[in-house]
Amino acid sequence: MVQIEQLAARTPAVSVDELLKGFYPSPRFGEVSFASYRPDPAQPSQAHAVRALETFAAGVGAGSGDGLFKRLFGKKETSRAGIYLDGGFGVGKTHLLASLWHAAPGPKAFGTFVEYTNLVGALSFRKTVEALSSYKLVCIDEFELDDPGDTVLMSRLMRELADAGVKLAATSNTLPGSLGDGRFAAVDFQREIQVLADQFDVVRIDGEDFRHRGLPKAPSPLRNDELTHHMQREFDGKTVAKDEFSTLINHLAGVHPSRYRQLIDGIDAVVWRNVETITEQAVALRFVVLADRLYDKDVPILASGVPFDRLFTEEMMTGGYLKKYFRAVSRLTALAREGQNHEPS
């Protein structure tokens, strides 16, 4: 028997503490470590990256609570405020960043670039700084450049946290874009964070780059009259969120993206009727956040309507936010394959 709910009927109320408690690695990286990372012997930079991050982890929280005299007259700390992992897609940057988070003492935060900008949107910039300034480590996965305003916002946030003594670690968003697009490299990161650049150590991670592999083929959508049968067969004994796609899209406009993690709390799978191409940019960007949260929790999908490779318009898939949309389509396709074909996502 399947317990059916609707995401469109959920409006989670989340406190500041609850929001901050959500800043930890997704279940996909819930138990990773430096020891579980397998460096490619043909790529010495990967083993070097592990050693560099282990050293950085050992310095997180060092010297805190030593008193005013030592801070004024003691030996100056020589380690830099931040570390940046530079490398192509699929070389294990998120695995290593999550391993750093697990190895470092708390309090600490781990989230994507988008999650931090959403946190600022939910709390305000000043309250976000106040909340995170007491942390020992802040990890930022998938640093993005596609929105100048958000980039400036994050640069300012990082600067204020570094001034407060918080250690910072970041990776870049290098998921597939259109053929020929250059990846986000260290030079871009250092340029955009400007005054913080000289406080970051750049660690290069070489390896096979999957930027040009293209999107995986989306499974054929189910018919509406097939959804219930597949849902009962695939998700027996589980809690499933079953929504009309257009209703869900409209509902998301009234839920702040910082609460999408709580929106899907307790949901084992989702079923969407009549998926349609999203034509408005603001709607599409909100849906990208939901796709990320579903992928983080490995929530399989059953859907009817258009296939996920037609979820966004052609203009969106070639525009300024193309990396976000490629990521969303790739992740939703993986979850749909899991839901329909039992293929691991």
Side-chain angles (χ1 to χ4, degrees), residues 29-40:
F29 300 98
E31 298 182 358
V32 298
S33 66
F34 294 129
S36 66
Y37 182 78
R38 295 288 179 261
D40 183 349

Side-chain angles (χ1 to χ4, degrees), residues 120-319:
V120 172
L123 301 185
S124 82
F125 180 84
R126 186 47 49 197
K127 287 184 179 179
T128 301
V129 171
E130 291 172 0
L132 296 178
S133 288
S134 62
Y135 282 39
K136 291 180 171 64
L137 173 69
V138 169
C139 296
I140 305 165
D141 199 22
E142 299 178 357
F143 199 98
E144 298 179 354
L145 280 179
D146 48 22
D147 187 310
D150 283 347
T151 304
V152 171
L153 174 76
M154 282 301 297
S155 180
R156 182 183 167 202
L157 176 64
M158 292 163 69
R159 183 174 67 248
E160 296 214 15
L161 293 179
D163 288 345
V166 180
K167 292 290 188 179
L168 305 168
T171 71
S172 64
N173 176 348
T174 58
L175 284 148
S178 58
L179 278 175
D181 272 0
R183 64 175 176 79
F184 182 131
V187 64
D188 303 306
F189 177 79
Q190 291 175 307
R191 181 186 68 247
E192 294 301 330
I193 64 171
Q194 299 170 4
V195 298
L196 263 181
D198 61 355
Q199 296 188 45
F200 271 76
D201 283 318
V202 175
V203 175
R204 171 72 185 163
I205 307 176
D206 296 306
E208 185 179 359
D209 189 341
F210 298 105
R211 281 181 303 122
H212 302 314
R213 68 181 180 177
L215 287 171
K217 181 175 176 54
S220 298
L222 299 170
R223 299 191 311 269
N224 281 335
D225 59 5
E226 296 177 312
L227 284 176
T228 299
H229 171 73
H230 277 74
M231 178 182 69
Q232 297 289 354
R233 185 186 67 189
E234 300 293 340
F235 307 131
D236 185 38
K238 297 183 178 180
T239 300
V240 177
K242 185 177 182 182
D243 289 89
E244 187 73 23
F245 189 76
S246 60
T247 303
L248 174 61
I249 289 293
N250 291 333
H251 179 67
L252 291 180
V255 181
H256 194 276
S258 63
R259 300 178 179 182
Y260 287 4
R261 190 190 296 267
Q262 289 75 23
L263 181 71
I264 63 172
D265 190 39
I267 297 298
D268 299 311
V270 296
V271 176
W272 293 333
R273 283 172 48 92
N274 301 316
V275 173
E276 57 192 24
T277 301
I278 300 173
T279 58
E280 296 181 37
Q281 190 94 271
V283 176
L285 291 173
R286 279 195 297 268
F287 199 77
V288 165
V289 178
L290 180 62
D292 286 340
R293 299 293 79 78
L294 290 170
Y295 187 77
D296 286 344
K297 295 188 69 175
D298 194 17
V299 179
I301 297 172
L302 294 176
S304 65
V306 302
F308 288 132
D309 54 10
R310 289 168 48 200
L311 183 60
F312 306 110
T313 66
E314 184 176 346
E315 182 181 12
M316 290 177 185
M317 296 297 287
T318 56

Side-chain angles (χ1 to χ4, degrees), residues 73-95:
F73 303 107
K75 185 178 179 180
K76 297 289 184 182
E77 187 178 351
T78 57
S79 62
R80 296 190 178 185
I83 192 165
Y84 169 72
L85 305 183
D86 174 42
F89 175 62
V91 296
K93 299 192 302 299
T94 300
H95 181 132

Side-chain angles (χ1 to χ4, degrees), residues 90-111:
V91 296
K93 299 192 302 299
T94 300
H95 181 132
L96 289 173
L97 189 68
S99 299
L100 169 63
W101 186 90
H102 288 298
K108 53 194 174 181
F110 182 105

